[in-house]
Amino acid sequence: MARLNLGNINQHIVEAKYAVRGELAVKSEEYRARLRKGDKSLPFSEVISANIGNPQQLDQKPITYFRQVLSLLENPKLLEHEDVLLNTLDYKKDVLERARWLLDHAGSVGAYSASAGVPAIKESIAKFLEKRDGFPADPARIYLSAGASSGVNTLLHIICASPTTGVLVPIPQYPLYTASLSVLNSTCVPYYLDESAAWGTSLSAIKEAHAKAKADGIDTRAIVIINPGNPTGASLSEADIRSVLEFAAEEKLVVMADEVYQTNVFIGKFHSFRQVLLTLQKEQPGKFDKVELASLHSVSKGMVGECGHRGGYFDLQGFKPEVEEQIYKFVSITLCAPVIGQCLVELMVNPPQPGEPSHALYQREYDAIFTNLRTRAYALYEAFKEMEGVECGEPQGSMYLFPTIRVPAGAAEAAKKEGRSPDEFYCLRLLEATGVCVVPGSGFGQVEGTLHFRTTFLAPGTEWVGSIKKFHKEFMDKYR
């Protein structure tokens, strides 16, 4: 008999839920495997993984400059054949120069780096932050990570000390946060975003959630802000960020600013929490000096879309040295972030500049990706506007739409018989009929009595959008 079973393993893992890669995603991969083996019995010919922001799985092409540099880091012997690279393979001189610079400072990408990251790469990130925010950055406060998710994991491990430790989390939210808090046996303190105000962040909702948690005996220590939002795409205004930081200063809350979609903005403008905090410190000396802020970024999203390379970083403001020592210890336990991912972070924050040989192609590719994402977002938005019982706000940013759906009573009853929520039932039937995998809103959290689903708009073409419209009409007719 096996020693382990579902009843005796870590129950916090069992209880954690991560809908983005949950039952529907598993089933979609089963369908994909059947199609690859030539199964013709399914009512669709391909699976569209609209459940996760995985750009290159859905036809987003890598930035040429990035991949050329990485190819030389993985195989430095290629640099011995400069003529072939330049004259036959169309590498530019600045590609070779950047690869040599990274090899000089990072060494072999097959070797461990310093625990917090390659020092020279941390310096490049600091320069990027200074250019973006207008304030100097300290490389010693920057930690490279295996994507932003790894940084979130590190920070929550440091923050969460007991079951009564609370973290304010926006609802709807990326389920990494609720799943991680479940694993750590700490408390999620939900605050609801305002769907009627384009999924705006309401300070009154934050205060209400904080007060309720306090009354329940929860030690709320931190607040998570996803800016731009996932799954909503909404960007916080500078005024909203100031309000959150004011409240954080009053209540001594650590601010975790998840800013991985900072270049995916269609409406409004991205304002970094770091820039606003440092501005407040300058305007009102003393009041905001002790605010603890952790800002996270990643190569997985934006126009980079290099999810599989697992590169990211977080920057700290206001943390005590004794706490940073423990953060350093924690990241040291996992040795270091993947070095090739660290190098990709350096390329993201320090891309080709005007006048350099690779800049024109880089800018052309970058702009084309952004334009394609916006075009696809609006095409999906227009399709939702034509669907009965579906309401969707105008695309604001990130990589997702999060429409409201209203299903007939018959569908709700059928879902109940299967032991499912109505939105989960809808998404499962959609997958079975079309091969399009989306995520039910219940996986992100939603106001009671409302139903949603999240879909990426990364997939190319319009056929899959048409299949959603056709399915929806048939679903509504069947259950009305």
Side-chain angles (χ1 to χ4, degrees):
M1 181 180 291
R3 181 68 180 89
L4 298 178
N5 58 61
L6 194 61
N8 69 12
I9 61 173
N10 187 333
Q11 291 303 293
H12 303 310
I13 301 290
V14 176
E15 292 165 8
K17 293 178 174 60
Y18 189 66
V20 171
R21 293 210 171 188
E23 178 191 1
L24 274 75
V26 171
K27 192 161 190 172
S28 73
E29 290 304 320
E30 292 173 356
Y31 287 152
R32 197 189 306 276
R34 285 170 59 181
L35 290 170
R36 284 175 178 159
K37 291 179 180 178
D39 190 335
K40 303 293 186 182
S41 65
L42 296 171
F44 46 85
S45 59
E46 66 174 331
V47 171
I48 301 291
S49 297
N51 60 303
I52 192 165
N54 193 10
Q56 292 186 24
Q57 184 189 48
L58 293 170
D59 203 39
Q60 181 170 312
K61 298 294 185 283
I63 298 285
T64 299
Y65 176 82
F66 293 169
R67 285 300 184 90
Q68 286 181 337
V69 174
L70 295 187
S71 71
L72 301 178
L73 300 181
E74 291 282 11
N75 188 4
K77 284 184 71 67
L78 294 174
L79 288 165
E80 298 173 8
H81 306 281
E82 188 168 323
D83 286 347
V84 175
L85 292 171
L86 296 174
N87 299 321
T88 304
L89 299 178
D90 202 27
Y91 282 49
K92 305 299 183 187
K93 195 77 174 176
D94 56 342
V95 171
L96 279 60
E97 291 169 354
R98 181 65 67 85
R100 290 190 176 106
W101 184 88
L102 283 165
L103 288 167
D104 286 344
H105 289 86
S108 170
V109 295
Y112 293 133
S113 74
S115 296
V118 175
I121 295 176
K122 294 170 65 172
E123 290 172 8
S124 287
I125 296 169
K127 291 176 183 175
F128 161 78
L129 292 173
E130 180 172 7
K131 181 178 179 182
R132 186 194 69 184
D133 298 334
F135 293 92
D138 183 355
R141 306 280 84 80
I142 295 167
Y143 295 77
L144 275 297
S145 57
S149 298
S150 175
V152 169
N153 183 57
T154 295
L155 294 163
L156 289 179
H157 267 84
I158 296 298
I159 291 166
C160 296
S162 75
T164 58
T165 300
V167 177
L168 283 154
V169 176
I171 300 298
Q173 52 91 40
Y174 178 46
L176 165 68
Y177 292 97
T178 46
S180 298
L181 289 169
S182 179
V183 169
L184 292 167
N185 193 27
S186 286
T187 300
C188 173
V189 180
Y191 66 92
Y192 286 86
L193 304 178
D194 186 354
E195 184 170 9
S196 67
W199 295 109
T201 298
S202 165
L203 183 61
S204 62
I206 293 172
K207 288 182 174 180
E208 183 180 340
H210 183 269
K212 182 181 184 303
K214 190 173 184 178
D216 292 340
I218 301 300
D219 172 25
T220 304
R221 297 182 171 186
I223 180 169
V224 172
I225 303 285
I226 307 175
N227 179 42
N230 175 6
T232 68
S235 293
L236 273 73
S237 68
E238 183 176 355
D240 286 342
I241 295 174
R242 283 175 171 257
S243 296
V244 170
L245 291 171
E246 287 263 8
F247 186 66
E250 291 168 8
E251 299 294 340
K252 295 182 173 59
L253 296 175
V254 177
V255 179
M256 291 178 61
D258 181 337
E259 299 175 335
V260 301
Y261 295 99
Q262 61 187 257
T263 59
N264 293 99
V265 178
F266 305 145
I267 295 177
K269 178 184 177 183
F270 169 73
H271 299 276
S272 78
F273 267 76
R274 179 181 180 275
Q275 189 272 332
V276 177
L277 174 61
L278 294 176
T279 299
L280 286 169
Q281 290 177 351
K282 183 178 179 181
E283 292 174 351
Q284 304 177 51
K287 181 176 180 180
F288 295 92
D289 291 357
K290 293 185 179 180
V291 172
E292 295 148 290
L293 169 66
S295 304
L296 301 109
H297 195 16
S298 167
V299 301
S300 297
K301 311 303 179 184
M303 276 29 81
V304 184
E306 294 278 5
C307 304
H309 274 113
R310 310 310 300 135
Y313 70 85
F314 59 91
D315 168 72
L316 302 179
Q317 300 288 325
F319 283 72
K320 286 187 173 182
E322 64 197 51
V323 175
E324 283 208 44
E325 286 176 10
Q326 302 309 308
I327 292 173
Y328 182 83
K329 180 202 296 182
F330 188 86
V331 299
S332 297
I333 291 170
T334 53
L335 298 172
C336 69
V339 176
I340 197 72
Q342 294 187 46
C343 292
L344 193 47
V345 170
E346 202 281 331
L347 298 175
M348 175 183 73
V349 301
N350 186 22
Q353 299 302 305
E356 295 179 350
S358 294
H359 178 263
L361 177 59
Y362 166 80
Q363 196 63 55
R364 194 160 62 246
E365 291 177 336
Y366 186 100
D367 291 346
I369 292 169
F370 181 86
T371 299
N372 284 338
L373 288 175
R374 184 168 56 186
T375 299
R376 292 172 187 179
Y378 275 88
L380 192 55
Y381 165 65
E382 292 297 331
F384 287 150
K385 284 167 63 177
E386 297 175 8
M387 290 163 56
E388 178 189 356
V390 176
E391 294 180 12
C392 185
E394 187 175 357
Q396 299 184 72
S398 75
M399 295 179 170
Y400 316 101
L401 295 180
F402 196 64
T404 296
I405 55 172
R406 293 179 177 84
V407 300
E413 185 62 33
K416 187 176 180 180
K417 288 178 181 177
E418 290 189 14
R420 300 182 184 279
S421 62
D423 54 348
E424 183 183 9
F425 178 80
Y426 177 92
C427 294
L428 181 59
R429 298 288 93 83
L430 173 66
L431 174 62
E432 292 171 344
T434 67
V436 177
C437 183
V438 299
V439 189
S442 50
F444 300 89
Q446 54 196 349
V447 172
E448 188 173 349
T450 67
L451 301 173
H452 303 78
F453 65 86
R454 188 193 79 167
T455 176
T456 70
F457 43 75
L458 296 168
T462 58
E463 185 177 337
W464 70 284
V465 178
S467 70
I468 293 176
K469 290 174 67 176
K470 180 175 180 292
F471 159 80
H472 183 79
K473 183 180 185 306
E474 292 172 351
F475 180 92
M476 299 296 282
D477 289 343
K478 178 177 180 179
Y479 290 104
R480 74 174 71 253

